[in-house]
Amino acid sequence: MRKLFLMTMAVCAMTFASCGNKAAQSENAEATEVADSLNDATTELAAQLAAGDVNKFQEALTAAQAKVAELLENNPEQAQAYLEKVQNYLKENAEQVKSLVGDNEIVSATVNTLVETPAQSIINNLKSVVGTTEDAANAAVQNANDQVDAAKQAAQDQVDAAKQAAQDKVDAAKQAAQDKVDAAKQAAADKVNEGANKVNEKVNEGANKLLKGAGLK
């Protein structure tokens, strides 16, 4: 009986040791995965920034946002760390990014949103709309598309405002010209009326003299 007990305890100890090893391996694997993920966070951004391809750079930004949403489902802390690394990269390379983006308002809006919005706020916004990993990725893509639409609308608003301002100037110039024409016409009419009045006065004076001379007045 004692031998059986000792054998049972030995088996239990081996089982616990095995479970412990598996748990440790799992934790190590997860830690490695996290480290690799963070290392990859800016790899594609750096590659496209170096290549000088603004369209590919935009795709890398969208992919980074999608990755944040994907990580959020199982590991919010990792998702935030990933996002913060992307944000720090954009801030540290702000001048180079600005030079690449140039007057591309769509990419500029995406970069500005990522840089200026606190990581926790972005994470909270994603938490409120995402469910599954697929939903998370779709939400990130939709968020990027919304930024694109907002940038397009802002650009269109600026164009419309510029057109309206130009049209207002044209209308004002036309009105000013018309006012001058009207004023000139009025001045001419006033002179004509003034001349006509003087002629009438002289005619009346002559008529009065004739009447007086004829003893009719």
Side-chain angles (χ1 to χ4, degrees):
M1 184 67 109
R2 179 178 177 79
K3 288 182 179 180
L4 179 60
F5 175 75
L6 292 174
M7 288 177 66
T8 302
M9 291 296 292
V11 171
C12 289
M14 290 175 65
T15 300
F16 285 131
S18 176
C19 290
N21 288 335
K22 289 181 179 179
Q25 291 174 358
S26 177
E27 290 178 0
N28 290 335
E30 184 177 350
T32 300
E33 182 181 353
V34 170
D36 290 343
S37 178
L38 291 177
N39 288 334
D40 292 340
T42 58
T43 301
E44 188 62 21
L45 287 173
Q48 300 309 329
L49 185 60
D53 190 329
V54 67
N55 293 323
K56 292 292 184 181
F57 187 76
Q58 181 183 6
E59 291 177 5
L61 285 173
T62 301
Q65 293 176 87
K67 183 65 177 178
V68 170
E70 178 186 341
L71 294 172
L72 183 61
E73 183 180 7
N74 296 318
N75 194 331
E77 291 182 359
Q78 183 184 355
Q80 184 165 339
Y82 186 100
L83 175 60
E84 288 173 347
K85 186 159 187 178
V86 171
Q87 290 178 316
N88 289 335
Y89 176 83
L90 294 174
K91 291 176 183 178
E92 291 168 1
N93 297 274
E95 290 302 320
Q96 193 174 352
V97 170
K98 184 178 180 181
S99 178
L100 172 64
V101 172
D103 58 358
N104 189 319
E105 295 187 2
I106 296 174
V107 183
S108 180
T110 302
V111 171
N112 290 339
T113 298
L114 285 172
V115 171
E116 296 173 4
T117 307
Q120 187 60 57
S121 296
I122 295 177
I123 294 298
N124 289 338
N125 288 336
L126 286 174
K127 281 181 180 178
S128 67
V129 296
V130 301
T132 64
T133 300
E134 182 178 0
D135 292 335
N138 290 337
V141 172
Q142 183 60 49
N143 183 51
N145 289 335
D146 289 344
Q147 292 172 10
V148 169
D149 292 340
K152 286 182 178 179
Q153 186 59 50
Q156 186 59 50
D157 289 344
Q158 289 181 349
V159 170
D160 293 342
K163 286 182 178 179
Q164 186 59 50
Q167 186 60 49
D168 289 343
K169 287 183 178 180
V170 170
D171 292 342
K174 286 182 178 179
Q175 186 59 51
Q178 186 61 49
D179 290 344
K180 287 183 179 181
V181 170
D182 292 341
K185 286 181 177 179
Q186 185 61 48
D190 290 343
K191 286 186 178 181
V192 169
N193 291 332
E194 182 181 352
N197 290 334
K198 287 181 178 180
V199 170
N200 289 333
E201 288 176 0
K202 289 190 176 289
V203 169
N204 290 333
E205 286 179 4
N208 288 331
K209 286 181 179 180
L210 290 174
L211 291 174
K212 284 181 179 180
L216 298 176
K217 189 173 179 180

